[in-house]
Amino acid sequence: MATVIVGAGIIGSATAFYLTQPPSTTTASSIHLVESSPELFASASGYAAGFLARDWFSPSLASLGALSFDLHKELAEQNNGAEKWGYCRSTGTSLAEVKGKRGDEWLRDGTSRAEAAATHNFMEGSGPAWLTQSRNGKIEVISEDDSTAQVDPLRLSRFLLTTCLERGVQLRQPYHPLSVNNNSEGKLSSITIASSTDPEKQVSIPCSRLIITAGAWAPRVFRALFPNCKKSIPITSLAGHSLLLRSPRWKIGDETKGHRGCHAVFTTDEAGYSPEIFSRVGGEIYIAGLNSATLPLPERATDRMIDEESIEVLKTTAKRLLGNDNGDDDLEVLREGLCFRPVSGNGAPIIGKVDERMLGVKTEGGVWIAAGHGPWGISLSLGTGKVVSELVEARHSSADVRKLAL
C-alpha cells in the first residue's frame, strides 16, 4: 500500500523503520518520507537533549514509555548504539525539588522536566564530577538501576533514516504537501507536493495511507491537506534554546570510568527557569530548560532565529554550575541551538487515526497522526514508530495508546 509519511524527523523515521522490517508487510519502496526543511533534523529531532526514561510518565503514557525505553536498549544492543549514537545508561539527579504541581503542569507552564522529576522518590547520592557547584551542596538521586539512559538524538535520527533509505524508502526533501487528490471512487489516491526552494516544482506521489509526523508543524500540514475539515490538531509549539558544551571535567571515555555512565541534572535557577543538564558520550554536555510558548513557529525549521539573550542566560547558568572553582570560563561552546517541541493541551502525544467523517475524504489505509510528544519525543520515538506501524497494518499494538487518540 502506498504510504506517505509527512515529517522525516525522528518520529517519521522511526515509523518508516518499523514499517520496513518483519512482521510488517509494507513494501519499503512504497513508502515516501516527505520533509520540508532543506536541513534534516533541524528542530527537536536534532537539537533535543536525548534523555530517555522508562517510568517517568502518566498512566496514559506508561505503556508506551516502557515499550519505547526497551526498544531503545534493544536497538542499541543490536546495532552498536553505544558507538553509533552514544547510547549509555544515565543517572537522574536533582538539585532542587519542585513541589505543589501536578506531574504534567511543568509542560504547560513551559518550564522543564525538573518538575516531572520531583514526583519521584529521592536518595542521597554523589553527583557527577563535572557539576562543580550545587545549590546548598545537596544532590538527590532520582532514578538509576537502568531506568534512564542517554543518546545523541541527531546521530540516532540519522541512523534510523539511513537504514530506511538502504531498505528502499524514498525521501522527498525539501518538499512540503500542497493537497490531496482522489480517484474516480472518491478515495485518496495521491498527494501533490511542492519543492520548498522552488514552488513551481510540483509532483504527485501515490498515497493510499497518510501518516502525519510533522511535530510542531503537524497542525499546519493537516490544515493544508484538509482545509474543509472541522477538526483541528490541538498542538502548539514550545520553543527551547540550548547549548552543547565541552568541559575539562567531562572527557571522552569518562562515562566508562567506574561504570557510572552519564548523568542528568534537574535544578532551578535564579533567572526564573528550570535548567536541565545532560552529559553525553563523547565528552559533551547539553544544557537547556529555557523555554518559550510565545516565540512564533517559523515556516520551516531552518528559519529559526536564535535569541541571543536566551543564549546568554544559559551561558551564565553553565558557568555557575559547571565552571571551575576559580570562576574562570573554561567551557567550550560547541553549538547554540533552538528547537520547537510539539505540545498538546494535556501534555500527552496524539497517536491515532482521524475519523474519515471529519475529513470528508475516503481512504483505503486511513489518515493517521503521531505528534505532540513535547520534551519526550526522543524517549518515545521508537515506541511510537513501532505502535504506529502496527496500527496502520491492523496488527496488535505493542502498547496501549487508546487514550492518546485524537
Side-chain angles (χ1 to χ4, degrees):
M1 183 180 296
T3 302
V4 174
I5 302 174
V6 180
I10 195 166
I11 302 296
S13 295
T15 301
F17 180 86
Y18 286 105
L19 269 176
T20 53
Q21 69 177 31
S24 174
T25 58
T26 300
T27 304
S29 60
S30 69
I31 300 174
H32 295 259
L33 270 169
V34 179
E35 174 57 50
S36 65
S37 173
E39 175 189 340
L40 290 169
F41 315 121
S43 192
S45 297
Y47 288 81
F51 178 66
L52 313 177
R54 194 180 198 280
D55 57 359
W56 288 36
F57 303 101
S58 63
S60 65
L61 276 175
S63 176
L64 181 63
L67 169 68
S68 197
F69 187 83
D70 293 344
L71 289 174
H72 275 286
K73 184 177 181 180
E74 176 183 272
L75 187 70
E77 291 174 344
Q78 294 175 349
N79 297 276
N80 192 17
E83 180 179 337
K84 291 182 178 178
W85 59 86
Y87 178 89
C88 183
R89 71 173 296 274
S90 180
T91 299
T93 63
S94 175
L95 291 181
E97 183 176 1
V98 183
K99 299 180 178 179
K101 292 190 177 184
R102 284 172 32 194
D104 60 357
E105 285 185 346
W106 63 269
L107 179 57
R108 293 195 296 272
D109 292 347
T111 55
S112 81
R113 273 171 283 239
E115 293 183 18
T119 65
H120 287 67
N121 294 323
F122 295 92
M123 312 177 278
E124 289 190 6
S126 59
W130 47 262
L131 187 68
T132 53
Q133 182 175 346
S134 62
R135 297 177 70 94
N136 301 321
K138 185 178 182 181
I139 293 287
E140 294 174 305
V141 177
I142 301 168
S143 60
E144 46 185 9
D145 298 329
D146 297 324
S147 65
T148 54
Q150 182 67 44
V151 298
D152 179 341
L154 179 57
R155 288 195 284 157
L156 172 58
S157 296
R158 286 172 175 168
F159 170 82
L160 292 171
L161 179 58
T162 298
T163 303
C164 290
L165 298 181
E166 290 173 348
R167 292 173 177 174
V169 173
Q170 302 183 58
L171 175 63
R172 304 280 187 163
Q173 182 225 6
Y175 278 86
H176 62 273
L178 286 181
S179 61
V180 296
N181 309 306
N182 301 334
N183 59 19
S184 58
E185 298 178 351
K187 288 186 177 181
L188 174 66
S189 60
S190 65
I191 287 182
T192 299
I193 59 177
S195 169
S196 298
T197 55
D198 182 7
E200 297 299 319
K201 186 179 180 181
Q202 300 181 9
V203 62
S204 290
I205 53 177
C207 179
S208 300
R209 181 167 61 201
L210 173 64
I211 306 172
I212 298 176
T213 58
W217 288 267
R220 292 183 183 177
V221 170
F222 185 80
R223 181 56 56 196
L225 294 177
F226 304 101
N228 297 322
C229 180
K230 295 181 180 180
K231 186 74 173 180
S232 60
I233 306 300
I235 290 174
T236 57
S237 66
L238 181 66
H241 286 83
S242 64
L243 291 175
L244 193 62
L245 308 167
R246 283 200 193 280
S247 166
R249 290 158 293 283
W250 177 250
K251 300 176 182 178
I252 295 175
D254 279 358
E255 70 279 355
T256 64
K257 294 180 179 179
H259 303 285
R260 296 189 64 193
C262 297
H263 279 78
V265 177
F266 303 94
T267 184
T268 56
D269 190 87
E270 296 173 353
Y273 77 109
S274 300
E276 43 190 51
I277 312 169
F278 308 88
S279 57
R280 292 178 176 174
V281 171
E284 297 177 346
I285 298 176
Y286 176 99
I287 179 170
L290 192 60
N291 303 324
S292 171
T294 60
L295 198 63
L297 183 69
E299 186 66 23
R300 287 183 288 272
T302 48
D303 296 332
R304 61 186 180 271
M305 298 291 291
I306 291 178
D307 177 54
E308 292 302 326
E309 289 188 12
S310 296
I311 293 297
E312 287 304 314
V313 170
L314 289 173
K315 287 181 178 179
T316 299
T317 299
K319 183 178 179 181
R320 180 175 65 84
L321 294 175
L322 311 179
N324 64 29
D325 294 334
N326 299 325
D328 299 329
D329 188 0
D330 60 354
L331 303 174
E332 177 189 358
V333 177
L334 302 176
R335 186 188 70 194
E336 299 176 355
L338 170 63
C339 68
F340 294 84
R341 298 182 181 95
V343 180
S344 69
N346 63 2
I350 298 170
I351 301 174
K353 186 178 182 181
V354 182
D355 191 331
E356 288 188 1
R357 294 171 296 179
M358 300 178 184
L359 293 174
V361 176
K362 297 179 181 179
T363 68
E364 182 180 350
V367 174
W368 301 79
I369 304 291
H373 294 73
W376 297 109
I378 308 303
S379 189
L380 297 174
S381 60
L382 300 189
T384 298
K386 184 173 180 63
V387 166
V388 171
S389 73
E390 294 166 340
L391 292 175
V392 301
E393 292 188 337
R395 291 185 279 122
H396 174 72
S397 176
S398 297
D400 184 0
V401 295
R402 290 172 294 178
K403 294 183 179 181
L404 306 180
L406 182 65

